[in-house]
Amino acid sequence: MERNTLSPATTLPADASRMSRPQRAAAAIKDWVVERGMRPGDRLPGESELMAHFGMAKGTIREALRVLEAQGLIRTRTGPGGGAFVNEVTEARARALLGNYFYFNEISIRDIYELRHALEPLLVAQLAGTLGEGQLEQLAAVMTAYETPPETIDEAEQHRMAELDFHALLASFSENALLRFQCRFLFSLLKELTICRKIYRREIPGFRKAGRDYQSRLLQALREGDSGAAKAIMRAHLNAAQTTMEQQESVVLRQFLSESEER
Amino acid sequence: MERNTLSPATTLPADASRMSRPQRAAAAIKDWVVERGMRPGDRLPGESELMAHFGMAKGTIREALRVLEAQGLIRTRTGPGGGAFVNEVTEARARALLGNYFYFNEISIRDIYELRHALEPLLVAQLAGTLGEGQLEQLAAVMTAYETPPETIDEAEQHRMAELDFHALLASFSENALLRFQCRFLFSLLKELTICRKIYRREIPGFRKAGRDYQSRLLQALREGDSGAAKAIMRAHLNAAQTTMEQQESVVLRQFLSESEER
DNA sequence: AGATATTTGTTCGTATGTATT
DNA sequence: TAATACATACGAACAAATATC
């Protein structure tokens, strides 16, 4: 059974005419690797061989390899037996690269929660009844991180991060790689967006406890294989969280505006 | 109002210790750009200045710039007034980079349609009543590409691509950048996955006409601002399409298996 | 149209670092 | 410890592209 699901050439823009030489070289090496059906861990030819094969100087080849490295497609090691090796793109790197795109595309809390509403109820409905005891325990273990009320702002922030970890862990259990990634990307946004970071450092009475309650009930439904209940609990949880987050968002924005006026 | 929604440093792995020099340089340049709040179009210092500033040789700096170029964050021009310029990451590049991740994570037609079911009904429900006449006309224009039955296999394939373009165009009208991207990424997968490409080159009686009917009714609902109807039509459309695609998938796979046995 | 200045792009030679044997 | 095989880094020179006059 063939494992390469994507066609080779189409993975990059490929407007060959106005690409710089190193970029072309990177594309060429990539295609060369794909054609050969090389798998993660396989070693690419050394720099000198690549120079000979593609008729380009060392510097150009090196720049090409760096391009592939930046995309997460290869890693290189020095020393004997070293060289460039095919590398499986990690989820973390994929998230980071995609994050660059949204650096320029303003997104709001509402945008994120719209997606959460669309994806997470589906996620838990699928997961209900399929999780092993070990997985359920992992989820419970994450929840212990915010068992007790936070005593400092820093601790409160950590709790919020751990709550997101709970959702991210849940998503990682999905069989659907697309669903898994898209959910987990949303959580990385919720962790990194500056507006969110500001919100996490505010007191929100009752929020932590309510979240834990939802998650406990969710675990119960997942254990019992009750898809409908899991979906309903998740929906309610998201509604509550979204309301709080959007309220806090407006508070933070007002704060920011009044601070601006003070100058 | 601040425009940078993501925190600077967190956008790349940043395990500085075991990063290569050019990678560190790339990260440093990136942070330097972010700190300065530089916007797309702004010019970075020339290579020689960067060499001086970061105390690295030309080759190293160039490799760093290539890394940033590969991520779509800069573009470079030669000649006087040339140099490296901050660049807005295009959606196409973001899709391509994310595609690399899924090159190693097998995804099925079912996976994709699960996401479509979650996202596209939401999309059209939001869009209902918000589209201008120009946008509705654009959608209708795409539909003319598969107005008449295809006469060759190539033409049939083109029709399928145009149908996907219809959905992609629809998604591009969403105000939600996340929803927009996630939908359009799914369509790029449907265009590029080898299994899909094989399916598109098969005769599927009635499929084209059924698709057009759905889309016509969808346009009507969108024009009338009937969210419920738009959602329902999209759901029905997706159900039908998914059934067909999965049927064809099993046919293609059986074909592939029997071809393997012949050897 | 053509000369020129500026800036990136490419190459080569050499030296250094690093991990294996 | 030493030899090796390989990537890594540097510096200088040259080539190509492109704006401006």
Side-chain angles (χ1 to χ4, degrees):
Chain A
M1 185 55 209
E2 102 189 287
R3 303 207 51 191
N4 304 331
T5 57
L6 292 173
S7 343
T10 45
T11 343
L12 254 190
D15 189 354
S17 56
R18 56 175 181 176
M19 259 202 290
S20 67
R21 222 130 123 71
Q23 291 223 7
R24 276 207 308 275
I29 294 174
K30 188 174 179 178
D31 288 348
W32 188 87
V33 166
V34 171
E35 275 166 27
R36 243 142 260 260
M38 292 175 75
R39 303 300 308 166
D42 293 349
R43 185 177 180 282
L44 271 68
E47 285 184 350
S48 51
E49 289 167 79
L50 290 172
M51 290 166 60
H53 188 284
F54 292 99
M56 282 178 271
K58 191 171 46 191
T60 311
I61 294 294
R62 284 181 59 77
E63 287 179 29
L65 290 177
R66 281 271 124 72
V67 167
L68 296 178
E69 197 174 298
Q71 297 177 352
L73 293 170
I74 63 169
R75 85 197 131 83
T76 60
R77 279 205 307 261
T78 62
F85 296 82
V86 178
N87 192 40
E88 184 164 343
V89 179
T90 65
E91 194 210 48
R93 181 173 294 263
R95 279 202 307 262
L97 290 170
L98 184 55
N100 286 337
Y101 172 65
F102 288 104
Y103 179 81
F104 298 102
N105 285 268
E106 205 77 32
I107 50 187
S108 65
I109 287 179
R110 172 179 291 272
D111 291 337
I112 297 176
Y113 273 85
E114 271 177 11
L115 272 285
R116 292 192 71 175
H117 270 291
L119 299 179
E120 289 199 274
L122 167 67
L123 173 76
V124 294
Q126 287 183 351
L127 254 36
T130 72
L131 297 183
E133 197 50 45
Q135 294 174 313
L136 291 166
E137 272 172 25
Q138 283 182 58
L139 290 164
V142 173
M143 285 180 66
T144 63
Y146 40 98
E147 210 162 24
T148 59
E151 300 190 346
T152 66
I153 283 292
D154 285 337
E155 207 183 334
E157 189 180 13
Q158 285 171 3
H159 284 192
R160 303 300 305 268
M161 294 293 151
E163 282 177 72
L164 289 171
D165 288 337
F166 176 89
H167 287 267
L169 181 58
L170 203 53
S172 75
F173 294 147
S174 171
E175 300 282 329
N176 184 335
L178 279 163
L179 182 57
R180 216 158 58 207
F181 179 85
Q182 296 201 348
C183 285
R184 288 167 63 84
F185 180 69
L186 294 179
F187 306 139
S188 75
L189 285 179
L190 285 173
K191 280 192 169 187
E192 290 173 14
L193 282 176
T194 52
I195 178 78
C196 292
R197 300 183 74 99
K198 282 178 190 160
I199 293 174
Y200 299 149
R201 297 185 68 80
R202 298 173 51 80
E203 294 266 0
I204 308 171
F207 188 79
R208 180 197 57 86
K209 178 152 186 347
R212 264 187 67 88
D213 282 353
Y214 280 121
Q215 294 179 351
S216 300
R217 287 168 50 211
L218 179 61
L219 279 192
Q220 184 64 17
L222 290 174
R223 179 172 280 121
E224 292 170 356
D226 188 342
S227 285
K231 202 186 275 195
I233 294 166
M234 180 59 86
R235 286 215 180 97
H237 177 35
L238 288 174
N239 274 323
Q242 176 168 14
T243 303
T244 306
M245 288 293 285
E246 290 191 339
Q247 268 172 5
Q248 294 296 321
E249 180 183 32
S250 67
V251 172
V252 169
L253 289 181
R254 263 201 300 278
Q255 224 172 37
F256 181 82
L257 287 176
S258 64
E259 277 170 19
S260 310
E261 282 168 13
E262 280 170 21
R263 279 178 239 152
Chain B
M1 185 56 208
E2 99 189 289
R3 303 209 51 191
N4 305 331
T5 57
L6 292 173
S7 345
T10 45
T11 343
L12 255 190
D15 187 353
S17 57
R18 55 173 182 178
M19 260 201 292
S20 65
R21 227 139 122 74
Q23 290 223 11
R24 277 208 306 277
I29 294 173
K30 189 173 176 177
D31 288 348
W32 188 88
V33 167
V34 171
E35 275 166 27
R36 246 141 258 261
M38 293 176 73
R39 302 302 306 166
D42 291 350
R43 185 179 180 282
L44 272 68
E47 287 183 352
S48 50
E49 289 167 78
L50 290 172
M51 289 167 61
H53 188 285
F54 292 101
M56 283 178 265
K58 177 166 175 150
T60 312
I61 293 294
R62 282 185 57 79
E63 287 179 31
L65 291 176
R66 283 296 181 240
V67 167
L68 297 178
E69 198 174 291
Q71 297 177 352
L73 293 170
I74 63 168
R75 86 196 132 83
T76 61
R77 278 204 310 261
T78 62
F85 297 83
V86 178
N87 193 38
E88 184 164 346
V89 180
T90 64
E91 194 210 48
R93 182 173 294 263
R95 279 202 308 262
L97 290 170
L98 185 54
N100 287 337
Y101 172 66
F102 288 103
Y103 179 81
F104 298 102
N105 285 269
E106 206 77 28
I107 47 185
S108 65
I109 288 179
R110 172 179 292 270
D111 291 337
I112 297 176
Y113 273 86
E114 271 177 12
L115 271 286
R116 291 192 70 175
H117 271 290
L119 300 179
E120 289 198 275
L122 167 67
L123 173 76
V124 293
Q126 287 184 350
L127 254 36
T130 72
L131 297 182
E133 196 50 46
Q135 294 174 313
L136 291 166
E137 270 172 27
Q138 282 180 59
L139 289 165
V142 173
M143 287 181 66
T144 62
Y146 39 97
E147 208 161 24
T148 57
E151 300 190 346
T152 66
I153 284 291
D154 285 338
E155 207 183 335
E157 190 181 10
Q158 285 172 4
H159 285 192
R160 302 299 304 270
M161 294 294 151
E163 282 177 69
L164 289 171
D165 288 338
F166 177 89
H167 287 267
L169 181 58
L170 204 52
S172 75
F173 294 147
S174 171
E175 300 283 329
N176 184 335
L178 279 164
L179 182 58
R180 218 159 56 205
F181 179 85
Q182 296 202 349
C183 285
R184 287 166 63 84
F185 180 68
L186 294 179
F187 305 140
S188 76
L189 286 178
L190 285 173
K191 280 192 171 188
E192 290 173 12
L193 281 177
T194 52
I195 178 76
C196 293
R197 300 184 74 97
K198 282 177 189 160
I199 292 173
Y200 299 151
R201 296 186 68 80
R202 297 175 50 80
E203 293 268 359
I204 307 171
F207 187 81
R208 180 196 57 86
K209 181 157 185 339
R212 265 186 66 90
D213 282 354
Y214 281 120
Q215 295 178 351
S216 299
R217 286 168 50 210
L218 179 62
L219 278 192
Q220 184 64 18
L222 289 174
R223 179 173 279 122
E224 292 169 355
D226 188 341
S227 284
K231 203 187 273 195
I233 293 167
M234 180 59 86
R235 285 213 180 99
H237 178 34
L238 287 174
N239 274 323
Q242 177 168 12
T243 303
T244 307
M245 288 294 283
E246 289 191 339
Q247 268 172 4
Q248 295 295 319
E249 179 183 33
S250 67
V251 173
V252 169
L253 289 181
R254 265 202 299 280
Q255 225 172 40
F256 182 80
L257 288 176
S258 65
E259 277 170 18
S260 309
E261 283 168 11
E262 280 171 21
R263 280 178 237 149

